[in-house]
Amino acid sequence: MLDARARRALAMMEIPVWQGRARPPAADVWTELAAQVKECRLCALHETRSQTVFGTGAKDARWFFVGEAPGADEDRLGEPFVGRAGQLLNAMLRALSLVREDVYIANVLKCRPPRNRDPEPAEVQQCLPYLQKQIALVGPAVLVALGRIAAQSLLATSAPLGSLREKVHHYAGVPLIVTYHPAYLLRSPADKQHAWADLKRAQALVNHE
């Protein structure tokens, strides 16, 4: 059964909520949504994917991390953030006394763009409703947008990442913190301290929920 927080988020995004005794339990909602993603043919990315990458983690998580799109490892294994960037994300979670099983992790796109190019606006438009439903079902205390693409997609802006960090945004009524993508941090380790400050800001929001 969906809790009140999930229902409010669904209502704000104008996503219908099942009513009455015919409403399926939350587990069935997740199963149906995963099946929809698996069979999705709304954009051309289905032609080149190995498989969709739905998302993973606790379905009642207080933390919800959003990346931009699957990479080669994710496309092969069907799970988000499993390569070197995923290893760094795991380390970031451990620094917060969390593990992957404590949080929910998903991407804006559920299919890998060819050659890991940036998602196209039409692809984001077609895929974003799946992510919106995941956020609504989880009902997190905080969203963490990992990188420019995730942040711009959720906030519907073209503003640069630097101008989006160090402040609290909101998405569908949920506080949203913007930070660097772990893949960027692998290339620019000096910015890890800034990413840590972003995560501590998110942690403060969770602790004061």
Side-chain angles (χ1 to χ4, degrees), residues 65-69 106-108 119 128 131 144-156 161 164 176 178-179 181:
F65 290 83
V66 181
E68 61 179 78
N107 286 307
V108 173
L128 196 58
L131 178 62
V144 179
L146 299 169
R148 173 180 60 87
I149 298 296
Q152 291 177 341
S153 298
L154 289 173
L155 296 174
L161 181 71
L164 299 174
L176 185 154
V178 175
T179 192
H181 194 286

Side-chain angles (χ1 to χ4, degrees), residues 25-179:
D28 291 344
V29 177
W30 279 103
T31 299
E32 180 180 347
L33 181 58
Q36 291 173 359
V37 169
K38 183 177 180 180
E39 299 301 322
C40 183
R41 302 291 189 275
L42 292 177
C43 75
L45 291 182
H46 77 272
E47 299 173 356
T48 56
R49 72 190 181 205
S50 297
Q51 59 185 313
T52 56
V53 180
F54 181 71
T56 187
K59 294 181 174 63
D60 59 352
R62 302 180 75 193
W63 293 74
F64 195 122
F65 290 83
V66 181
E68 61 179 78
D73 292 327
E74 291 77 14
D75 181 62
R76 177 171 54 88
L77 297 173
E79 184 175 334
F81 287 92
V82 293
R84 291 182 61 225
Q87 294 172 11
L88 179 54
L89 177 59
N90 291 344
M92 294 161 69
L93 292 176
R94 288 195 297 271
L96 294 164
S97 300
L98 298 168
V99 294
R100 286 175 71 101
E101 292 76 16
D102 295 327
V103 306
Y104 199 86
I105 307 171
N107 286 307
V108 173
L109 294 191
K110 306 305 185 192
C111 299
R112 180 195 180 195
R115 299 175 299 281
N116 291 343
R117 62 161 171 76
D118 286 351
E120 297 178 353
E123 295 165 350
V124 172
Q125 183 179 10
Q126 295 288 359
C127 216
L128 196 58
Y130 295 132
L131 178 62
Q132 291 172 336
K133 292 177 182 178
Q134 288 174 299
I135 293 170
L137 288 169
V138 172
V142 69
L143 293 163
V144 179
L146 299 169
R148 173 180 60 87
I149 298 296
Q152 291 177 341
S153 298
L154 289 173
L155 296 174
T157 181
S158 59
L161 181 71
S163 69
L164 299 174
R165 289 186 54 251
E166 300 182 330
K167 60 187 70 174
V168 179
H169 307 271
H170 287 83
Y171 182 78
V174 182
L176 185 154
I177 296 295
V178 175
T179 192

